[in-house]
Amino acid sequence: KQWYQRRVRGAEINSMQLNADKFNLLQHGVHETLKDSYILPSGEILNASATVKDLGILIDPDLAWRTHIVTITKKASNMAAWVLRTFATREREHILLLYKTYVRPNLEYI
């Protein structure tokens, strides 16, 4: 809470407005009593999010990357299905080139 309040004060000092739509609240831990909602300067209540995307990575409340891994593998699987559905050739060189071009970058990037 103190971190957030310092950011709000810093924004007020510099005559900046904080965009409430860009805030995500990720709370973790076993004590539910410690998990408070935050109140934004506009009076809007900020509730906890199920997952938060930070620097391109999806993070769960238990600080695991399960959601991120499922999303990436689903995207790569869909791309592999598209390649097999779109291109009639099954020659090794062509399939390997298509895999390296369309599927593998989804798995390697983040």
Side-chain angles (χ1 to χ4, degrees), residues 6-32:
R6 283 194 306 256
R7 295 299 174 260
V8 170
R9 272 197 307 272
E12 290 172 353
I13 290 170
N14 294 313
S15 301
M16 296 171 48
Q17 289 185 348
L18 298 175
N19 186 351
D21 294 335
K22 293 187 178 185
F23 281 97
N24 287 312
L25 176 62
L26 181 67
Q27 296 177 326
H28 58 91
V30 294
H31 300 291
E32 292 296 323

Side-chain angles (χ1 to χ4, degrees), residues 21-49:
D21 294 335
K22 293 187 178 185
F23 281 97
N24 287 312
L25 176 62
L26 181 67
Q27 296 177 326
H28 58 91
V30 294
H31 300 291
E32 292 296 323
T33 56
L34 298 176
K35 297 180 181 178
D36 295 343
S37 296
Y38 286 118
I39 299 175
L40 299 173
S42 62
E44 198 175 336
I45 295 176
L46 185 62
N47 293 316
S49 301

Side-chain angles (χ1 to χ4, degrees), residues 24-102:
N24 287 312
L25 176 62
L26 181 67
Q27 296 177 326
H28 58 91
V30 294
H31 300 291
E32 292 296 323
T33 56
L34 298 176
K35 297 180 181 178
D36 295 343
S37 296
Y38 286 118
I39 299 175
L40 299 173
S42 62
E44 198 175 336
I45 295 176
L46 185 62
N47 293 316
S49 301
T51 58
V52 173
K53 189 170 191 175
D54 188 27
L55 299 175
I57 297 176
L58 291 169
I59 303 172
D60 296 336
D62 59 351
L63 300 180
W65 298 0
R66 279 186 297 276
T67 307
H68 181 72
I69 292 168
V70 167
T71 304
I72 294 298
T73 54
K74 187 175 183 179
K75 188 175 179 182
S77 177
N78 288 340
M79 189 57 70
W82 175 81
V83 165
L84 293 173
R85 188 175 57 243
T86 304
F87 298 95
T89 183
R90 294 295 184 260
E91 292 182 29
R92 187 183 196 303
E93 295 82 23
H94 292 140
I95 291 295
L96 197 55
L97 178 64
L98 292 168
Y99 171 79
K100 287 180 181 179
T101 304
Y102 295 109

